[in-house]
């Protein structure tokens, strides 16, 4: 009698993004072609593992999904196995369902679980690894804020969508001589704003990492007008805030591991610019549009490479690791090294330098260089810490 076939599970957790189906497809194909493994998919992220909701996935199930956005497995950003919300009466109670998840995993006779997700999914995965579950992580998010990997899949597609939007905003900005504020997602990281701002030819980019000086922003707008450019495009990350001000919280979702949802700062930026310059402003918030649609060619390739690398790790029993792209090469890092950490834009980032060389305003006052202003601000903030 031959050895029983290995079985691996896969799930997609957290906010969706283009490329999730490309990873699932690659996992199923590599598992079958390279190792003769069976694959089962849990529905709606860790919710499926906790509630034992799953489906077998074979090659025919992933046929035609490469170019499809979203996830064929569904996802959830509320199903933390260690803090699982259960409605009791009118309110939620939070239960530790990690042992239930472990029991379900064992009952299915699984040899490994591939968890595709962002920081929340990786934090939950690291917790389950410490309870003995053999998990391999795959880094996903349009925010590109996971440490240890050059890039996450989903980011490039979101940049492409935002860039197309900014291109379209340009023509109407030009016709009406307005300041157009385009807000992009990204949570506490400014990667989307920075890349879409540079790719879309934005004039001012405001990122959460660098609180903006509104006078500096208005001077940049006035300077463009003085040069005969009678419109400006301001690309704003949803986590941007003025110096001394706060991020704008659009809602709080108490059942979500990270309850805060950001959004709406662009209305504040527009009101301030209009008030101070007397130039008409308009706001476009791209929001969830950035998570939709077909993955870019770059993301299809990256997602496919990640999926295959994750299957190889599972076959080698190298668990508790996240597959990463390191200097263009597939590699892996221990989950506990990356879970709970954010990769943010830094002053010396090459694309920040690119934006500065192009003469873009990144939120500093006209009479102080970007580097000087943020070094000083960081110093002041450090001085305030106990
Ligand atoms: O993390 C991905 C992301 O799209 C963020 O950019 C955004 O802040 C958040 O998710 C929105 O979450 P939700 O889908 O719960 O509104």
């Amino acid at each position: 009698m031959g050895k029983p076939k290995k079985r691996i599970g896969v799930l997609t957790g957290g906010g969706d993004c283009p490329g999730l189906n490309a990873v699932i497809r690659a996992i199923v194909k590599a598992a079958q072609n390279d190792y003769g493994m069976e694959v089962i998919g849990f529905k709606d992220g860790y919710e499926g593992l906790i509630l034992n909701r799953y489906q077998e996935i074979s090659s025919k199930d992933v046929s035609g999904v490469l170019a499809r956005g979203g996830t064929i497995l569904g996802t959830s950003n509320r199903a933390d196995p260690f803090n699982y919300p259960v409605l009791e009466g009118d309110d939620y109670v939070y239960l530790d369902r990690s042992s239930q998840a472990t029991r379900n995993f064992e009952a299915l006779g699984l040899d490994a679980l591939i968890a595709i997700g962002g920081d929340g999914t990786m934090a939950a995965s690291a917790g389950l690894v410490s309870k003995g579950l053999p998990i391999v992580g795959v880094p996903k998010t349009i925010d590109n804020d996971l440490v240890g990997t050059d890039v996450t899949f989903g980011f490039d597609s979101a940049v492409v969508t935002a860039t197309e939007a900014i291109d379209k905003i340009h023509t109407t900005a030009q016709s009406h001589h307005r300041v157009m504020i385009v807000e992009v997602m990204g949570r506490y990281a400014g990667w989307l704003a920075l890349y879409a701002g540079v790719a879309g030819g934005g004039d001012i980019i405001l990122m959460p990492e660098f609180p903006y000086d509104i006078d500096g922003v208005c001077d940049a707008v006035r300077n463009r007008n003085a040069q005969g450019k009678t419109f400006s495009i301001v690309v704003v990350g949803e986590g941007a805030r003025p110096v001394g001000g706060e991020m704008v919280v659009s809602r709080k979702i108490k059942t979500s591991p990270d309850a805060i949802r950001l959004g709406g700062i662009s209305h504040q930026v527009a009101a301030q610019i209009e008030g101070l310059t007397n130039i008409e402003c308009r706001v476009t918030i791209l929001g969830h549009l950035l998570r939709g649609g077909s993955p870019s060619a770059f993301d299809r390739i990256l997602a496919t490479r990640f999926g295959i690398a994750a299957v190889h790790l599972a076959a080698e029993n190298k668990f508790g690791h996240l597959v990463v792209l390191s200097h263009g090469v597939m590699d892996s890092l221990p989950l506990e090294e990356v879970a709970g950490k954010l990769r943010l834009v830094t002053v010396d980032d090459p694309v920040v330098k690119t934006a500065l060389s192009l003469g873009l305003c990144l939120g500093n006052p006209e009479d102080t260089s970007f580097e000087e202003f943020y070094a000083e601000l960081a110093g002041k903030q450090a001085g305030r810490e106990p």
Side-chain angles (χ1 to χ4, degrees), residues 18-363:
L20 285 167
N21 289 326
V23 184
I24 298 169
R25 171 181 176 269
I27 289 171
V28 171
K29 283 181 181 264
Q32 285 182 357
N33 297 340
D34 292 349
Y35 302 103
M37 294 170 174
E38 289 173 352
V39 182
I40 73 154
F42 289 100
K43 304 210 170 155
D44 301 331
Y46 274 118
E47 179 115 6
L49 184 60
I50 295 164
L51 303 179
N52 212 23
R53 289 171 41 223
Y54 62 91
Q55 65 181 82
E56 306 266 343
I57 337 178
S58 66
S59 286
K60 71 173 181 355
D61 299 308
V62 292
S63 174
V65 304
L66 175 64
R68 205 191 297 168
T71 160
I72 56 169
L73 292 175
T75 186
S76 164
N77 53 12
R78 300 170 188 218
D80 178 352
F82 295 91
N83 216 15
Y84 183 71
V86 177
L87 199 57
E88 259 189 27
D90 287 342
D91 225 339
Y92 283 96
V93 290
Y94 294 84
L95 305 176
D96 183 351
R97 304 297 302 275
S98 57
S99 299
Q100 183 64 52
T102 308
R103 280 197 295 278
N104 290 344
F105 179 89
E106 283 162 1
L108 283 165
L110 290 172
D111 298 289
L113 175 67
I114 299 178
I116 310 166
D119 48 350
T121 305
M122 293 314 142
S125 302
L128 290 171
V129 167
S130 62
K131 288 188 76 128
L133 276 200
I135 299 179
V136 172
V138 176
K140 157 247 67 160
T141 167
I142 63 163
D143 303 339
N144 201 27
D145 58 357
L146 284 188
V147 297
T149 187
D150 298 351
V151 65
T152 56
F153 73 88
F155 173 65
D156 184 69
S157 306
V159 171
V160 169
T161 302
T163 303
E164 279 173 15
I166 297 167
D167 286 349
K168 289 182 175 160
I169 295 283
H170 255 99
T171 55
T172 178
Q174 224 157 0
S175 312
H176 288 267
H177 315 298
R178 286 172 172 159
V179 176
M180 303 298 280
I181 326 290
V182 183
E183 182 175 316
V184 296
M185 282 186 164
R187 286 208 297 177
Y188 309 112
W191 297 109
L192 261 172
L194 178 63
Y195 276 62
V198 171
D203 307 300
I204 295 156
I205 302 176
L206 305 180
M207 295 170 266
E209 293 87 344
F210 311 111
Y212 62 87
D213 174 75
I214 194 63
D215 294 322
V217 171
C218 291
D219 284 337
V221 169
R222 287 192 199 98
N223 289 343
R224 280 181 55 80
N225 277 34
Q227 290 164 23
K229 299 170 188 166
T230 58
F231 73 95
S232 292
I233 306 284
V234 188
V235 181
V236 183
E238 62 181 358
R241 63 195 160 103
V243 174
E246 299 296 328
M247 292 183 183
V248 174
V249 174
S250 63
R251 59 191 291 175
K252 287 188 183 167
I253 301 173
K254 59 181 178 181
T255 51
S256 178
D258 183 356
I260 303 290
R261 292 294 179 278
L262 300 170
I265 180 68
S266 47
H267 288 292
Q268 201 170 302
V269 174
Q272 284 178 310
I273 297 177
E274 201 165 293
L276 290 166
T277 64
N278 258 326
I279 303 171
E280 243 192 343
C281 297
R282 290 288 187 275
V283 167
T284 305
I285 299 180
L286 296 179
H288 291 82
L289 191 75
L290 300 175
R291 296 228 303 248
S294 193
S296 64
F298 177 89
D299 273 341
R300 292 181 200 191
I301 292 169
L302 181 62
T304 302
R305 290 178 75 192
F306 275 153
I308 292 170
V311 173
H312 291 332
L313 284 188
E316 290 160 16
N317 295 332
K318 196 168 172 188
F319 300 121
H321 274 65
L322 177 77
V323 292
V324 294
L325 186 73
S326 175
H327 306 289
V329 176
M330 281 293 135
D331 201 351
S332 69
L333 282 174
L335 273 174
E336 74 261 15
E337 263 182 38
V338 298
K341 294 181 190 158
L342 282 185
R343 192 173 73 91
L344 300 175
V345 181
T346 54
V347 174
D348 56 357
D349 182 86
V351 182
V352 166
K353 287 189 186 297
T354 303
L356 293 172
S357 295
L358 289 171
L360 271 56
C361 168
L362 301 184

